[in-house]
Amino acid sequence: MKCSRNDWRCCFANEVALRKVTLLMRATDPDPLGRYTAIGALGAKAKIAVQKILLPLTVALAGESMILLFTGKPGAGAFMLMSAGTCATLKVWCSDALGLPLLPLMAIQGLIIYGIPIAVGHEVILTYPPEFVWEAGVEVLIFNVAMAVAWKFGMRIFHPSPAMSYALHEFSKAGIKGWSRLGFGMLAAATAFQIMQSLNLTDAINNALPSGASSILAALVSVVSACGFFLVSMTIGGREASVVAKAAFWCLLIVNAMISASEFLLYGVAANLITIAIGFFWSSCRVPWRYLIVAMLCLSFLNTGKTTMRERYWNNDYEPPSNQSFDKLPSLYAEWIGVSYNAILENNAEQAPSPTQAITTANKNQTLLDRIDNLQNMLFVIDATKTEHVSFLHGATYSLIPPLLVPRVLWPDKPRSHEGQIILNVHFGRQDLNSTFATYIAWGLLAEAYGNFGPVIGSVFIGVFLGVVFAWIENLTARKLVMSMEGFLSISLLMNLMNSFEMVASVLVTSIFQSFVIVVAASAPFVRRTNNRPPVSSDG
């Protein structure tokens, strides 16, 4: 049926019907992993997985809300609001999902970083008035609703892009074997470079690079490693990998994680672990509970002794050493395990005096829950504006984004990459300027928006912006091949958003921009513009 320009109702109905048919075809595809696998096909699998967990999650959150309410625990009302916003957002996404699960990712992340501290009764809740905790719950609810409504609107005004991709041709021809081969190649290359770096075999390369290029090389290795883990985890989750391939994958993960965390910084390891979890979840339509439990226990255990190990090995400027020798890693981790074990038993690991009071405040006895607890940031900024009457920043931290996109090679004296956090911490009295040279205290996107524009307006601002952008990206990438430049850009975007809970907008945007430049530069020589649709005679 052909619609006239004025018959918008007919066009709208046809568009909705086309979306539903497309989603149905993708969801019933018996072999989604192959040469012509599009991001939208994986999005359909993610939709199935979200639909499976939505009802149990709703029941569990409702039960926890009742327990908190009837036991008189603080924050019960705020937890109810956060839970309602999360479940509603997931329901909205399932109604029109086409591809990348950016909206549910952000909603679930919000429930974790704002809701879990209430559920476990974190002590930070007791240090603020109950009305501030309630207001934090209201702000999270407004953020979720604004993001979901904006996403729904965006899915109506944006349309899927043409089925053309800049595909990695030689690997895409091999189908799932090409995925595995490329993934293992990327992992092997990244891990080999890390081993060489730990043995001081890359000094000649670093000395030959121009000023500022070393950070680009480090980012390249990080992106290559994460993309490799994602591709291989997709084949393992889809039950396409052999026993030998699985064993090689876990060995590479252990070696990569041990080297990455050897400077007592766990965020890189955590990002890779979450990337793998997304790969398992996306390809199998099931939450990888056993993997998640083991990964979280390992991170939590090492995080307990992290501060003590930093104080023993970091220099007087509270910066990590250049590298840890690969052959000394076993003894290093034996010591770390001992420190963490003693800290758990005694609940008071030995702490040396830290260089500044801010470091002690931020890091002393920090647990993994403390690290992901963004509720404390919301409560802090609410208290600062209502009790101390600190003024709002009116967008000052967002104005930093354009200059931070300029490469440091071209502008050596440009602002620090965490300048947005520095402005927030200094303005609201969390740190003085000198202490920001020793450590950065995280904020998160929602607390930053509140600090700039105040209650309601800040949450609506960041929620609407993210919702519209997510809808645009989901339509833009739905018909792109996974094994393409666009596919790797999508993986990179997911990685950055998964780690965005402690970022401000300027850090998140610059991180995404840098990773995109690296992906485009690294993949450009190996891609070719390709029609995504399989030929009729092909068996896919």
Side-chain angles (χ1 to χ4, degrees), residues 78-274:
F79 186 82
M80 289 181 184
L81 296 180
M82 296 174 187
S83 301
T86 300
C87 294
T89 302
L90 295 178
K91 182 66 175 179
V92 168
W93 184 75
C94 288
S95 66
D96 275 328
L98 281 178
L100 283 176
L102 303 178
L103 184 68
L105 173 65
M106 191 60 66
I108 293 174
Q109 182 188 86
L111 178 64
I112 293 172
I113 62 179
Y114 296 110
I116 286 184
I118 297 177
V120 301
H122 195 280
E123 60 185 7
V124 71
I125 304 172
L126 303 176
T127 61
Y128 292 96
E131 58 268 24
F132 287 2
V133 180
W134 170 261
E135 182 173 345
V138 172
E139 293 298 327
V140 174
L141 174 64
I142 293 173
F143 166 71
N144 277 324
V145 171
M147 185 169 57
V149 171
W151 179 87
K152 188 81 171 180
F153 175 76
M155 296 301 287
R156 293 290 175 264
I157 63 174
F158 299 122
H159 303 285
S161 61
M164 299 290 293
S165 303
Y166 287 95
L168 295 166
H169 190 63
E170 294 302 319
F171 288 100
S172 66
K173 287 195 300 183
I176 192 62
K177 292 182 179 179
W179 286 39
S180 182
R181 189 164 66 245
L182 178 60
F184 274 115
M186 298 173 83
L187 286 180
T191 305
F193 181 86
Q194 289 178 313
I195 293 175
M196 292 174 60
Q197 192 174 41
S198 69
L199 295 174
N200 297 320
L201 298 178
T202 59
D203 292 346
I205 298 175
N206 292 329
N207 293 334
L209 294 174
S211 176
S214 296
S215 59
I216 298 176
L217 180 60
L220 173 61
V221 173
S222 176
V223 170
V224 168
S225 176
C227 289
F229 278 124
F230 181 80
L231 288 177
V232 180
S233 65
M234 288 286 295
T235 64
I236 294 176
R239 298 182 179 180
E240 302 283 354
S242 65
V243 175
V244 175
K246 292 178 181 178
F249 171 79
W250 294 117
C251 289
L252 285 170
L253 174 60
I254 292 172
V255 173
N256 189 287
M258 289 183 68
I259 297 174
S260 297
S262 62
E263 295 180 350
F264 316 113
L265 297 168
L266 296 177
Y267 59 84
V269 177
N272 281 337
L273 292 176
I274 296 173

